[in-house]
Structures are given as C-alpha cells and as structure tokens.
Amino acid sequence: MRDQAAELRRLVAKKGPSSRIIAVTSGKGGVGKTNFAVNLALALRQMDYRVVLIDVDLGLANADIILGITPKYNLGHVMQGEKTLQEVIMEGPLGLKIISGGSGITELANLDGWRLEAFVSSFEQLNQEFDYVILDTGAGVHRAVMSFVLAATDIIVVTTPEPTAITDAYGLLKIIHQRAGHAKVRLVVNMAKSPAEAETVAERLNSVLREFVRWEVEYAGYILTESQVVRAIAAQQPILLSFPSSMASRSIKRIAGVLAGEEGASQPMGFRGFFARVSGFLHI
C-alpha cells in the first residue's frame, strides 16, 4: 500500500498545465449537494469556462439522474484498462462534460504501478482541456469520501438550516481544517427560508468553529427554498436550465461568479497532484 502511494507521489513530478479542482461535499445526505454541484458546473459553463463534472459519490451517484442521462461506463472501466478516459466522458447540457466515478473508484488504492501510471496519465489531457473540475463527492466522513475532499484545491461544504445538518457540517469542517490546510474552504447554505436564516446558520457554525477550532469558514452564499427546485428535480432537469430566472438559479450564478473571481488558496495542482493526495489519504 505505502509503495503504491510513494509511486503516485513520484509521478506528480511530471506536472503540466493544471485544472482547478473543486470538491462539493456535505456532512450528511439530503441537503441538495448533488443538485448544487450539477448546477454550479452549468453556471460556470454559462460563463464560457471549460468544465467537467466527475461524480465520485460512491453510495448514491445520481448527478446523471439530475442531468437526465444514463452513463454506460465509468472510471472503474478506465482503471481496469477496459475503456479509455475519452470513452467514458459524456456530454451533457451546454457542452458540460460528465464522468461517472462508479463503485470502481475505490480500486484506486489497489492499482499496481503500470496501471496507476496509465490511469493518472490518461487524466493529463484534462489539465489542458478543462478550466474547472467539479467533484460531486459522497456525504459524510468515510475515508473514501474524505480522500477526494481533502485532496481538492477548493472545497465547498453544503448544509441546510436543519439542526442535524448543521451539526454534521461542523464535524466535517473540523476535519477539513485539521487535514486540508492547503485548500480554500467555503460554506453554502441550501434550502433556506430567507437570506437572514442562511446568514444565521453560517454565523452559528463559525461561532462554534472559532470557539473550538480557532478558525472560521468563508460563507459563499445561500439558495432559498422554492417550488421550482422540486419541479426541476422531478423533471430530471437542472434548475439553471428549466427555471433560469428562479431565485435558486440566480443564487447559484452568484456563487459561481464568486468562485470565478477569486483565486484558490494555492496554485491549481492538476490531476497528478490531486491523485497523489487522494492516494496519500487512502493509505493513511
């Protein structure tokens, strides 16, 4: 295991142009994380950025459901040498590219040297093809989930005003702060009844973080509860496309604008650096 991690760290030296990798995550399920990730990716596409969405939610990979597409292949097929990366990339609305992680993503920890080199090298081209990589990760603090979250350059934690969601978001943020000092971390409050309620949630979280961790998370914005969100999900359509003038769509565009207007906490690492970190966290 450690030899494999050392090998991937060695491969990171072959570094080329870098994509900005943003992990969207949450402390618990049911907070609208995937819906936000999909629409954030589309909002960046609308700003003419080249974007790929990678669904690495091992338990409930459903970004394809929101987009109304059915993936035939996933990264597991690439890891096994059955398909090339280009063969598993699908095209969605607005030219958004989508890659399904599938359950095979956990096999990353078990790849031998040559398969590891082939897998990582296949991603090199993405550094040149995309400006943003949006990772829709799983919820919670499972090691496989956290390995992707902690390895990213930028991390967005999605929560809601519901008390258990706030508690779980705090636990997740505490781990991120302790183990991902390199990352720019932001908070998005979803399903809020009003901007004031969302701000209260953010301040409550930061109050506890300041007291116990001596740190606070950047508040990136909110998404209000409205019927159009439910209707868009039921229709298997991103709200940004089905209800572009809705409050939710405007909020997501505003958050995308914040991301595009700021640099990450560190220089984009590209896929070699990213997978080196993923491997390191998987083997801890």
Side-chain angles (χ1 to χ4, degrees), residues 23-101:
V24 179
T25 190
S26 61
K28 68 183 292 291
V31 301
K33 166 188 60 64
T34 294
N35 195 43
F36 172 74
V38 167
N39 284 283
L40 174 65
L42 288 170
L44 289 168
R45 274 296 302 137
Q46 288 182 333
M47 297 167 68
D48 289 329
Y49 288 105
R50 301 170 300 169
V51 186
V52 59
L53 172 69
I54 305 181
D55 190 341
V56 291
D57 187 340
L58 308 181
L60 295 169
N62 55 11
D64 54 307
I65 296 175
I66 294 175
L67 288 163
I69 59 178
T70 304
K72 279 187 175 182
Y73 309 108
N74 56 53
L75 286 182
H77 295 97
V78 180
M79 292 180 190
Q80 294 304 313
E82 299 172 8
K83 295 292 176 182
T84 66
L85 185 61
Q86 288 299 328
E87 288 177 315
V88 305
I89 296 179
M90 300 174 293
E91 183 166 326
L94 304 181
L96 173 68
K97 304 299 183 182
I98 304 105
I99 300 175
S100 175

